[in-house]
Amino acid sequence: MSENAQDQKAQDQGVKTETAEGSGSVIDKSKRKNLLLGFGAAVVLVGAIWGIYEAFIAEGTVSTDNAYVAAENAEVTPLTSGRVVEVLVTDTQPVKRGQLLFRIDDADQKIVLAEAEANLARAKRMYGQSLANNQALGAAADANQAQINTARANQAAARADLTKAQSDFARRNELAGTGAVSIEELTTARQALDSAKAAYEQAQASLKQAQASAVSARRQEQAAVALTEGTTLKTAPEIQLAQAQYDKARLDLERTVVRAPIDGVVSKRTIQVGQKVQNGEAAMIIVPVGKLYVDANFKEDKLGNVRSGQSAKLTSDFYGGDVVYHGKVVGFSGGTGAAFSLIPAQNATGNWIKVVQRLPVRIELDPAELAAHPLRVGLSMEAEIDLSSKD
């Protein structure tokens, strides 16, 4: 056989081999059709399951992962000024209500209290003096009234003396022309008449003076009594004022000892020993970890069927999905976060773009579950509200 014939035969055998190998890698058309049908059926089944879930299960709940733990924190602020002499707690330390937190130097408050106590004692003594003065003025007014009676008696006596002197003078004056009465006797009668007139006028003036003195004394008594009338040692205004100042001074002294207003954990302690603190200056914050709640921010188009009292399930990133908290909806915020922001959005512009807003929904947590798995303010949560639960 020639070389050309052998080469041609070798080439033919190679082509057959390649054809045979290629036919083995090609999927049979019938099997490929079955695979496509199976894949399509699986897609349809998954879609049907998802549709059933959305129609019967998902429609009964709303959920969000935009939720955070919050609490009504207690800010500890001293109500009196002074230098801090002792701090008994640190950050992260649990405290009980009424537990001593820190002390303020009370030297100034003790001095003010002593001064207020002295003023109170003085006010009580002054009140007693006023009562005694009222009695003295009343006695003086009564004495002046007695003087009026004496002046009236003196006036009556002077009137009688004047009448007698007038009669004696008139009788002697009639007899003067007959020579029965001497000039000297007539002169004496005239002098007696003049003396009686003067005595009468003096008696009248004394009566008027006694009456005026009695009126003045009675008015002084009334003015003094008006300051204490209807009052007692406890209800007198000046004593109440002194008592109020004393109570304030004592309260300021008590406020130099600062105690925890609630149970919780100390956070953000800002005071140190030796620091001068002012009235109302924040010293620390106490977080009531046993009374936490969750603010869940739901999209506005998910809240149409959410009502207060509905139950909720929550999980925390802190513990993971193994720990489930149970709570209930207790209320809704009065507005969105954008509405209460420092610079609210101005939507009346030409380039406005609608953004779905979120409204905070407050969910109350079960205290027993919080005690078993404590949380802290600010932790992330996932919340799911059961819309089928009753209010």
Side-chain angles (χ1 to χ4, degrees):
M1 184 179 296
S2 64
E3 291 182 359
N4 292 336
Q6 289 178 354
D7 293 339
Q8 184 65 36
K9 184 177 180 180
Q11 292 177 359
D12 292 341
Q13 289 178 351
V15 170
K16 290 180 179 180
T17 302
E18 291 176 0
T19 303
E21 291 176 355
S23 62
S25 63
V26 177
I27 300 176
D28 186 66
K29 291 183 178 180
S30 60
K31 291 182 179 180
R32 183 170 59 184
K33 182 178 181 180
N34 292 335
L35 289 174
L36 292 175
L37 290 175
F39 178 75
V43 172
V44 172
L45 179 62
V46 171
I49 294 174
W50 179 257
I52 294 173
Y53 172 79
E54 288 290 330
F56 298 100
I57 300 177
E59 285 296 323
T61 62
V62 292
S63 61
T64 182
D65 58 358
N66 189 349
Y68 304 93
V69 179
E72 299 296 338
N73 301 326
E75 189 174 67
V76 179
T77 56
L79 299 180
T80 187
S81 301
R83 183 175 60 87
V84 179
V85 295
E86 186 179 17
V87 181
L88 302 174
V89 295
T90 60
D91 277 341
T92 74
Q93 179 178 338
V95 294
K96 295 291 185 181
R97 180 177 181 179
Q99 181 176 336
L100 181 61
L101 301 178
F102 61 94
R103 297 177 186 272
I104 298 174
D105 184 15
D106 59 2
D108 293 338
Q109 286 77 5
K110 286 182 177 178
I111 293 174
V112 174
L113 178 61
E115 182 180 355
E117 187 175 8
N119 288 336
L120 177 59
R122 181 175 179 274
K124 290 181 178 180
R125 290 179 179 271
M126 293 296 292
Y127 180 78
Q129 182 180 4
S130 296
L131 294 180
N133 188 44
N134 293 346
Q135 294 178 352
L137 290 175
D142 294 339
N144 285 332
Q145 187 65 39
Q147 290 178 358
I148 291 176
N149 296 331
T150 301
R152 284 175 178 171
N154 293 334
Q155 183 189 34
R159 184 184 296 114
D161 292 342
L162 176 60
T163 301
K164 181 178 179 300
Q166 288 174 341
S167 177
D168 291 343
F169 176 76
R171 186 173 63 252
R172 285 174 173 75
N173 190 37
E174 290 177 356
L175 297 175
T178 62
V181 177
S182 65
I183 297 176
E184 182 180 356
E185 187 177 357
L186 183 62
T187 302
T188 301
R190 183 179 288 109
Q191 290 176 350
L193 176 60
D194 293 338
S195 296
K197 287 181 179 179
Y200 179 71
E201 291 175 356
Q202 184 177 1
Q204 281 186 319
S206 297
L207 176 60
K208 290 181 180 179
Q209 183 179 0
Q211 289 174 336
S213 297
V215 171
S216 176
R218 192 63 67 185
R219 288 179 178 176
Q220 288 179 358
E221 179 193 12
Q222 292 173 350
V225 170
L227 296 176
T228 58
E229 186 177 10
T231 64
T232 64
L233 192 62
K234 292 184 177 180
T235 61
E238 60 273 19
I239 294 179
Q240 287 184 330
L241 177 60
Q243 183 69 51
Q245 293 173 345
Y246 173 79
D247 293 340
K248 181 180 182 301
R250 186 178 61 181
L251 184 60
D252 287 341
L253 178 60
E254 293 175 354
R255 284 172 172 171
T256 58
V257 178
V258 182
R259 301 182 181 275
I262 60 173
D263 296 346
V265 174
V266 176
S267 303
K268 295 183 66 176
R269 197 196 84 175
T270 59
I271 61 170
Q272 303 293 335
V273 174
Q275 178 181 346
K276 177 69 179 296
V277 294
Q278 300 296 329
N279 186 344
E281 178 182 349
M284 63 186 69
I285 293 176
I286 297 181
V287 180
V289 293
K291 296 181 180 180
L292 302 178
Y293 57 85
V294 171
D295 280 333
N297 303 295
F298 285 92
K299 292 182 179 180
E300 56 186 318
D301 55 359
K302 300 293 184 181
L303 294 175
N305 294 321
V306 177
R307 300 289 184 271
S308 293
Q310 291 176 338
S311 61
K313 293 182 180 180
L314 306 100
T315 58
S316 170
D317 293 348
F318 190 73
Y319 294 106
D322 295 336
V323 176
V324 178
Y325 295 89
H326 298 83
K328 67 176 181 179
V329 177
V330 294
F332 303 81
S333 174
T336 65
F340 294 135
S341 62
L342 183 61
I343 304 178
Q346 298 296 323
N347 294 328
T349 59
N351 59 349
W352 172 76
I353 299 175
K354 180 178 180 179
V355 177
V356 177
Q357 300 297 319
R358 290 181 180 268
L359 185 71
V361 176
R362 180 161 297 186
I363 300 175
E364 187 179 70
L365 298 176
D366 186 352
E369 294 177 348
L370 273 176
H373 297 90
L375 294 171
R376 292 296 184 267
V377 172
L379 293 179
S380 300
M381 302 286 286
E382 293 186 9
E384 182 180 88
I385 299 175
D386 184 4
L387 300 179
S388 63
S389 58
K390 296 182 178 180
D391 296 357

